[in-house]
């Protein structure tokens, strides 16, 4: 079966969002354009890492071009998107591998999210070789979401993604573990329950 690539070049909208209550949220990347919507699920840490790496890559682009690239230093407020995910949220696949690149000719950020794939291998070397073959297989590789963003869109995505990640449960002031609405057993309090 040939690889399914969900291409958005450019998207009308590309956002990170969640479904569910804090502590039980499912994180999604969602791209939409011309009436099409693609949603892929991923871990909270993947969303945070993607947002941080996008900002770092954009900062590097600005540095290397001497400020001549069309990349804003901060997320522009005119492209900010605080709306919820487009419903219904239907998961196309769960993200395993992500990649970022900057297309200097087109002045675009390229974000790729590939489906999680289970690989069987006897040794670490065999596993690394199987992973490399799978990632390089353009014809039969895992499903992929590929989005091409302007610098402003990428900054806005990164800001919203970090806001979504940080909108979860507040941390305990003593141990920094998340506080649940029904209370928290704090290891720094020697196991005594602490109300939120």
């Amino acid at each position: 079966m040939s690889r399914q690539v969900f291409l958005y070049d450019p998207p009308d909208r590309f956002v990170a969002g969640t479904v569910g209550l804090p502590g039980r949220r499912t994180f999604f990347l969602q791209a939409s354009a011309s009436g099409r919507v693609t949603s892929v699920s991923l871990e909270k840490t993947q969303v945070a890492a993607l947002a941080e790496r996008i900002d770092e890559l954009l900062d590097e682009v600005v540095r290397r071009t001497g400020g001549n690239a069309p990349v804003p230093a901060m997320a522009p407020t005119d492209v900010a998107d605080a709306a919820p995910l487009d419903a219904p949220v239907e998961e196309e696949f769960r993200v395993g591998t992500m990649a970022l690149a900057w297309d200097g000719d087109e002045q675009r950020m390229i974000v790729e999210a590939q489906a999680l794939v289970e690989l069987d291998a006897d040794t670490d070397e065999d596993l690394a070789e199987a992973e490399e073959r799978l990632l390089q297989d353009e014809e039969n590789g895992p499903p992929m979401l590929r989005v091409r963003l302007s610098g402003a869109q990428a900054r806005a995505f990164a800001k919203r993604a970090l806001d979504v990640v940080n909108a979860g449960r507040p941390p305990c002031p003593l141990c920094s573990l998340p506080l649940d609405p029904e209370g928290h057993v704090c290891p720094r309090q020697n196991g005594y329950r602490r109300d939120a």
Side-chain angles (χ1 to χ4, degrees):
M1 185 171 133
S2 64
R3 167 181 266 186
Q4 187 173 15
V5 177
F6 301 93
L7 177 63
Y8 290 86
D9 183 15
D12 294 336
R13 183 174 191 229
F14 181 57
V15 295
T18 61
V19 173
L21 298 172
R24 293 175 179 80
R25 298 185 294 171
T26 302
F27 288 78
F28 289 92
L29 297 179
Q30 190 176 74
S32 60
S34 305
R36 293 186 308 137
V37 178
T38 303
S39 303
V40 297
S41 67
L42 66 170
E43 296 294 324
K44 177 181 180 178
T45 54
Q46 288 176 297
V47 175
L50 179 61
E52 290 167 4
R53 297 306 179 271
I54 285 174
D55 271 340
E56 289 172 5
L57 181 56
L58 291 174
D59 290 344
E60 183 66 14
V61 167
V62 169
R63 188 185 70 73
R64 286 191 179 189
T65 62
N68 294 327
V71 176
M74 304 283 292
T77 56
D78 60 324
V79 293
D81 184 346
L85 295 174
D86 293 332
V89 179
E90 296 175 359
E91 176 185 309
E92 294 291 340
F93 59 83
R94 183 150 197 82
V95 174
T97 303
M98 295 184 295
L100 287 177
W102 178 258
D103 181 344
D105 295 333
E106 298 289 325
Q107 301 291 302
R108 296 276 182 215
M109 168 76 68
I110 303 165
V111 179
E112 291 183 349
Q114 292 189 37
L116 182 64
V117 176
E118 297 290 330
L119 296 174
D120 290 327
D122 296 329
T123 67
D124 287 344
E125 289 176 4
D126 291 344
L127 181 61
E129 187 178 310
E131 286 175 344
E132 189 60 32
R133 271 196 319 270
L134 184 65
L135 294 175
Q136 299 304 322
D137 190 349
E138 284 296 322
E139 237 177 82
N140 300 307
M144 176 193 302
L145 171 65
R146 181 178 291 146
V147 182
R148 296 175 60 87
L149 304 166
S150 69
Q153 287 175 311
R155 283 279 191 214
F157 169 84
K159 181 181 181 331
R160 176 187 165 127
L162 289 174
D163 290 346
V164 166
V165 167
N166 294 326
R169 298 172 288 171
C172 172
L174 298 175
C175 69
S176 299
L177 292 174
L179 290 172
D180 289 318
E182 55 272 352
H184 166 68
V185 179
C186 180
R188 302 254 336 253
Q189 289 283 317
N190 203 20
Y192 288 102
R193 183 168 287 280
R194 185 178 166 87
D195 293 326

